[in-house]
């Protein structure tokens, strides 16, 4: 090393960052070797040139925070702790060691959320974000990124990127809105109902050795799960892809409004609701959209907001992992259709047993949704009525996981195909028995291989996907039932 271990000034942020560069592309084992060879075991002892008399503290390799603990002790020279202040409190900088991953297609993603600090329901400031414990501890963070899929042994890993994170001004309207939504639940005595889906960028995740770890909350006697403030995985993915590694900027919703500090959800709501009461037909005409086009509704919303590209590729939608849904409500109050998700691959669904990397978890449970609702006023005439932002609540995830597992079991044991005239019935979970999510075909025309090379249906081979047993059947996807969508829009699952 060009510098000696612990040779930095903890009162100078530039000195800390400059020293931290020495971590880059060096195995943790090399840093530990340097530590073992120096007579100084703490930052303070190095500053006073006093040989340390303390013995080395062993760090558990099973600890979830082992990467951070290694760097804190062996590189920065302070004992791993749970202090309420920032790690470098003289300059207000907290150190976070966090993993990224390289996907099969070569893209980079965050491997997990960035956990910030415990949410103390009883003592946190619930009215002023800038006076919270969260802000006091994490207003500046030195992020150290390592490849979380490269090595299982912590000593063989390296820090590949260093980034001083100071909360981006363009994100603060959304962050403040997330904080307000979360703290409002606490004020309502609903801390036990908090969910990671309550925020767009800023969230609260369960924290503790057991998901059942609970804390007292101030406005209810019901124990609430222990949670920590966190930045959501998809927000961290955006940060990695666009601020740290690739540095490509996407179109921004906020940029369509000049001189504003509004959150993107407010901008979207205001833009869309200025056309409340207009029929879908008149809106298609106003914005020059072919009413028979396949993606007419997403194109309509994009043009209303003032975007040139796909709304789901904007900075804000990527950071929030948001999905647009245009829903038509019939006069009886029921949505006209069930709501589909992307089709899944039978073999991949059957073989991937990691729930948090599964298609339904990524497409449903980790998403935020923007519902744009058109209401029927007379036969087949729909007017723009309202918008709703919603996230899949944590309390429904076990049921979602159950349906996912049931679907996997059916695929692995063999899908049953029962022919009735020119149609085929499967044994996949249906909306009759599954209240929140079910699986059905994702194609207009069906095509089922009952026996080798013997097909039934009006579809074609491109409408099908191959099962593990070699048969090809119509492509399927997970769906929200109409009744569940109705309950979402009515606020039952907020």
């Amino acid at each position: 090393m060009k510098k000696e271990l612990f040779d930095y000034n903890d009162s100078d942020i530039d000195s800390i960052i400059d020293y931290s560069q020495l971590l880059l592309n060096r195995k943790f084992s090399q840093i530990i070797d340097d530590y073992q060879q120096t007579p100084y075991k703490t930052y303070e002892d190095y500053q006073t040139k006093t040989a340390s008399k303390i013995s080395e503290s062993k760090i558990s390799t099973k600890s979830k925070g082992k990467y951070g603990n290694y760097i804190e002790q062996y590189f920065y020279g302070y004992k791993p702790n749970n202090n309420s202040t920032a790690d470098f409190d003289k300059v207000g900088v907290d150190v976070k060691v966090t993993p990224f991953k390289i996907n099969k297609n070569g893209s980079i993603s965050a491997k997990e959320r960035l956990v910030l600090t415990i949410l103390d329901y009883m003592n946190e400031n619930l009215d002023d974000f800038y006076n919270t414990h969260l802000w006091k501890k994490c207003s500046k963070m030195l992020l150290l990124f390592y490849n979380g899929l490269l090595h299982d042994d912590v000593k063989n890993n390296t820090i590949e990127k260093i980034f001083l994170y100071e909360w981006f001004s363009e994100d603060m309207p959304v962050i403040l809105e997330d904080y307000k939504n979360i703290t409002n639940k606490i004020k309502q005595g609903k801390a036990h109902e908090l969910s990671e889906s309550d925020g767009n960028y800023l969230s609260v995740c369960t924290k503790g050795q057991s998901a059942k770890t609970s804390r007292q909350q101030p406005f209810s006697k019901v124990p609430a799960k222990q949670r920590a403030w966190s930045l959501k995985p998809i927000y961290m993915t955006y940060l990695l892809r666009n601020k740290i590694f690739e540095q490509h900027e996407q179109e921004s919703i906020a940029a369509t409004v000049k001189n504003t500090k509004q959150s993107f959800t407010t901008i979207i709501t205001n833009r869309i609701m200025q056309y409340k009461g207009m029929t879908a037909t008149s809106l298609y005409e106003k914005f020059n959209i072919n009413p028979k086009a396949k993606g007419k509704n997403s194109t309509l919303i994009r043009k209303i907001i003032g975007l040139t590209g796909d709304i789901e590729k904007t900075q804000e939608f990527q950071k929030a992992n948001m999905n647009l849904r245009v829903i038509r409500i019939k006069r009886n109050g029921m949505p006209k259709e069930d709501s589909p998700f992307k089709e899944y691959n039978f073999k991949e669904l059957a073989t991937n047993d990691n729930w948090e990397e599964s298609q339904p978890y990524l497409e449903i449970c980790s998403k935020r949704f923007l519902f744009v609702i058109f209401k029927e006023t007379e036969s087949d005439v729909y007017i723009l009525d309202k918008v709703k932002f919603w996230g899949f609540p944590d309390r429904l995830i076990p049921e979602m996981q159950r349906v996912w597992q049931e679907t996997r079991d059916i695929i692995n044991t063999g899908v049953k195909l029962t022919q009735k005239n020119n149609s085929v019935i499967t044994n996949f979970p249906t909306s009759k028995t599954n209240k929140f999510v079910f699986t059905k075909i994702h194609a207009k025309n069906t095509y089922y291989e009952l026996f080798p090379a013997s097909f039934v249906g009006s579809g074609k081979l491109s409408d099908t996907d191959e099962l593990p047993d070699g048969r090809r059947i119509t492509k399927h996807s997970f769906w929200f039932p109409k009744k569940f969508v109705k309950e979402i829009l009515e606020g039952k699952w907020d």
Side-chain angles (χ1 to χ4, degrees), residues 210-227:
S210 169
K212 295 182 180 179
T213 303
S214 62
R215 281 187 171 228
Q216 183 182 359
Q217 60 171 308
F219 302 105
S220 173
K221 294 182 179 180
V222 179
K225 286 182 180 179
Q226 177 170 280
R227 290 184 177 270

Side-chain angles (χ1 to χ4, degrees), residues 70-87:
Y70 267 78
I71 286 177
E72 289 171 0
Q73 179 169 317
Y74 297 128
F75 185 71
Y76 290 116
Y78 61 84
K79 291 286 186 70
N81 59 75
N82 292 314
N83 290 349
S84 60
T85 57
D87 294 320

Side-chain angles (χ1 to χ4, degrees), residues 259-271:
N259 303 319
T260 182
K261 293 184 179 181
Q262 295 176 330
S263 68
F264 80 92
T265 56
T266 300
I267 294 169
I268 287 173
T269 301
N270 291 342
R271 286 283 175 89

Side-chain angles (χ1 to χ4, degrees), residues 102-141:
I102 299 177
N103 303 309
K104 292 179 181 179
N105 62 3
S107 64
I108 293 171
S109 298
K111 191 171 183 289
E112 58 192 40
R113 63 188 63 81
L114 182 68
V115 178
L116 304 177
T117 188
I118 290 290
L119 168 54
D120 185 344
Y121 303 119
M122 301 301 293
N123 297 304
E124 183 63 283
N125 190 310
L126 303 179
D127 298 302
D128 183 357
F129 176 80
Y130 295 106
N131 275 308
T132 59
H133 165 65
L134 163 65
W135 183 254
K136 292 174 182 177
K137 181 175 174 64
C138 300
S139 59
K140 294 179 183 177
M141 293 181 285

Side-chain angles (χ1 to χ4, degrees), residues 103-342:
N103 303 309
K104 292 179 181 179
N105 62 3
S107 64
I108 293 171
S109 298
K111 191 171 183 289
E112 58 192 40
R113 63 188 63 81
L114 182 68
V115 178
L116 304 177
T117 188
I118 290 290
L119 168 54
D120 185 344
Y121 303 119
M122 301 301 293
N123 297 304
E124 183 63 283
N125 190 310
L126 303 179
D127 298 302
D128 183 357
F129 176 80
Y130 295 106
N131 275 308
T132 59
H133 165 65
L134 163 65
W135 183 254
K136 292 174 182 177
K137 181 175 174 64
C138 300
S139 59
K140 294 179 183 177
M141 293 181 285
L142 189 60
L143 305 182
L144 310 177
F145 293 94
Y146 67 94
N147 189 330
L149 298 181
L150 207 55
H151 299 289
D152 291 330
D153 185 352
V154 60
K155 295 181 180 180
N156 287 324
N157 266 298
T158 62
I159 298 299
E160 297 190 25
K161 288 288 182 180
I162 294 173
F163 185 78
L164 180 64
Y165 177 83
E166 298 177 85
W167 303 57
F168 298 106
S169 58
E170 64 266 28
D171 292 342
M172 289 314 298
V174 180
I175 296 289
L176 293 174
E177 184 179 65
D178 292 342
Y179 161 79
K180 184 178 179 180
N181 290 338
I182 292 165
T183 55
N184 277 347
K185 266 195 172 180
I186 300 173
K187 291 177 184 179
Q188 294 165 9
K190 296 180 179 180
H192 56 288
E193 294 183 9
L194 283 171
S195 168
E196 284 199 68
S197 65
D198 287 326
N200 290 299
Y201 304 168
L202 179 69
S203 187
V204 283
C205 63
T206 54
K207 181 70 174 176
Q209 294 182 343
S210 169
K212 295 182 180 179
T213 303
S214 62
R215 281 187 171 228
Q216 183 182 359
Q217 60 171 308
F219 302 105
S220 173
K221 294 182 179 180
V222 179
K225 286 182 180 179
Q226 177 170 280
R227 290 184 177 270
W229 294 105
S230 64
L231 290 173
K232 301 180 78 169
I234 195 66
Y235 179 86
M236 295 304 298
T237 292
Y238 181 89
L239 183 71
L240 281 161
R241 292 179 180 176
N242 299 284
K243 301 291 186 182
I244 298 175
F245 282 89
E246 301 170 9
Q247 298 185 342
H248 296 309
E249 288 292 339
Q250 281 75 35
E251 191 172 12
S252 168
I253 292 170
T256 65
V257 180
K258 295 181 180 179
N259 303 319
T260 182
K261 293 184 179 181
Q262 295 176 330
S263 68
F264 80 92
T265 56
T266 300
I267 294 169
I268 287 173
T269 301
N270 291 342
R271 286 283 175 89
I272 294 176
M273 293 311 292
Q274 67 180 311
Y275 299 105
K276 181 177 181 179
M278 289 186 66
T279 66
T281 301
S282 60
L283 286 169
Y284 295 145
E285 183 177 349
K286 177 179 177 62
F287 289 95
N288 194 27
I289 296 169
N290 181 356
K292 295 182 180 180
K294 186 177 181 180
K296 61 182 181 296
N297 289 324
S298 59
T299 302
L300 173 62
I301 303 307
R302 169 177 66 80
K303 288 191 174 185
I304 287 176
I305 294 171
L307 299 169
T308 59
D310 186 348
I311 187 173
E312 294 192 8
K313 292 182 180 179
T314 59
Q315 293 182 31
E316 292 86 355
F317 264 59
Q318 289 190 59
K319 291 174 186 175
N321 198 23
M322 190 165 285
N323 177 254
L324 170 65
R325 300 263 147 165
V326 178
I327 305 294
R328 292 182 293 175
I329 304 295
K330 295 191 296 184
R331 280 175 287 178
N332 63 4
M334 187 67 71
K336 188 173 182 180
E337 304 99 359
D338 297 319
S339 189
F341 292 88
K342 292 180 181 178

Side-chain angles (χ1 to χ4, degrees), residues 482-494:
K482 289 180 286 187
K483 186 176 179 181
F484 180 50
V485 174
K486 180 177 183 289
E487 292 176 347
I488 292 172
L489 300 182
E490 291 174 344
K492 181 175 180 179
W493 300 105
D494 289 354

